[in-house]
Amino acid sequence: MDKRRLLFIGLTLLFLSIVYVMWASYETSSATYFSKNNSKQVIKDVEKLKKIEEESYDRIHMMTMDEIGYLPYSYEEIMKKYQTKEGLVEYFAASLFLNDQDLFLQSFTPEVISKDLFSEKEENKYKVIESFINTIRRNNTLTGVGYKTKSNLIGEQDDNKIMLVLKYGDRTVETEIELKKLNDYHDTDIHSIYVINTSVKDIIRSIEEKF
């Protein structure tokens, strides 16, 4: 092999290495954390959303065709909070700290959580969810749930992945999770929210490997 070809291969490998590092690096800033204290506000927000939806449903017969499908401003304000990655992590953290099976279930894509649930022999799927939650909480030693966004060296964030950061007392565990945006029934981005698209079992496996 001549020197020119070797030089070309060497430069190509160097270029690919630089590109990989730029796109695969995580920001080094500290993670945003949520504790049990944040969970109470999540429950309040969920209750408000339910109330607004129920009130809107009750008055649907009085609405015009243009009004149907649109919810009050207060609904939009609450929804904005949970349309972000930070909102998803806060919601997920609340499900863990409050041992809330419904919130936990809603934190994942239907396909992923269904596969995890039906891979277990236990017929009562809420017991399966409770088992998942307790395993992640590790005997109630979980004290914080946070995240780091994935970004390259020029500051562009990976929209589909974050590093989930779990604090157990003085110990911190990090595991990468994939996210997915779910749109509303109008199939638009207006009410789209982030949900976890990584298997619960994979998350648990990753946590246990680090202990």
Side-chain angles (χ1 to χ4, degrees):
M1 189 179 294
D2 59 38
K3 291 182 178 179
R4 287 184 180 179
R5 176 172 268 186
L6 284 172
L7 179 62
F8 176 75
I9 293 173
L11 290 174
T12 302
L13 290 173
L14 178 62
F15 174 75
L16 291 174
S17 298
I18 292 171
V19 170
Y20 175 78
V21 170
M22 288 181 65
W23 286 101
S25 60
Y26 274 97
E27 64 179 15
T28 55
S29 59
S30 58
T32 302
Y33 283 106
F34 299 100
S35 65
K36 191 171 184 177
N37 292 332
N38 301 102
S39 304
K40 296 175 182 178
Q41 185 58 49
V42 174
I43 292 298
K44 287 180 181 178
D45 288 340
V46 170
E47 289 174 348
K48 283 181 184 177
L49 290 175
K50 286 181 179 178
K51 186 177 180 181
I52 292 170
E53 288 175 348
E54 287 170 359
E55 289 174 351
S56 297
Y57 182 79
D58 288 341
R59 53 185 284 270
I60 196 169
H61 64 281
M62 297 184 293
M63 295 181 179
T64 66
M65 289 302 295
D66 291 333
E67 291 175 321
I68 293 175
Y70 293 91
L71 292 161
Y73 179 74
S74 54
Y75 182 95
E76 305 287 350
E77 284 298 292
I78 298 172
M79 279 299 296
K80 280 181 184 178
K81 177 180 177 181
Y82 297 102
Q83 289 176 322
T84 62
K85 295 172 184 177
E86 183 174 328
L88 165 63
V89 176
E90 184 177 2
Y91 197 88
F92 180 60
S95 77
L96 297 173
F97 289 123
L98 300 175
N99 194 18
D100 191 306
Q101 291 95 332
D102 289 326
L103 294 187
F104 188 86
L105 190 70
Q106 294 159 10
S107 299
F108 292 83
T109 58
E111 298 85 0
V112 163
I113 196 65
S114 295
K115 186 175 180 180
D116 283 332
L117 291 176
F118 288 97
S119 67
E120 299 292 313
K121 292 180 180 179
E122 171 61 58
E123 293 184 3
N124 187 330
K125 298 310 174 185
Y126 274 98
K127 285 186 177 180
V128 177
I129 297 173
E130 187 173 14
S131 174
F132 288 156
I133 292 173
N134 289 334
T135 303
I136 296 174
R137 284 165 52 133
R138 295 187 68 84
N139 299 319
N140 294 324
T141 59
L142 183 69
T143 55
V145 180
Y147 76 102
K148 293 179 182 178
T149 54
K150 190 176 184 181
S151 58
N152 58 33
L153 295 180
I154 58 175
E156 295 177 333
Q157 290 189 6
D158 187 334
D159 203 41
N160 299 317
K161 291 180 182 177
I162 60 171
M163 186 70 85
L164 184 66
V165 187
L166 303 163
K167 289 187 74 174
Y168 299 93
D170 296 330
R171 190 159 192 168
T172 301
V173 173
E174 298 184 359
T175 181
E176 184 180 88
I177 61 172
E178 182 180 330
L179 307 181
K180 184 177 181 180
K181 268 193 170 184
L182 291 186
N183 295 334
D184 65 1
Y185 57 88
H186 291 298
D187 197 29
T188 67
D189 268 344
I190 297 174
H191 297 138
S192 64
I193 58 171
Y194 281 106
V195 287
I196 300 170
N197 198 37
T198 297
S199 164
V200 183
K201 289 187 171 183
D202 287 345
I203 294 173
I204 290 172
R205 191 178 300 111
S206 178
I207 294 170
E208 291 179 339
E209 286 173 354
K210 294 174 175 65
F211 272 90

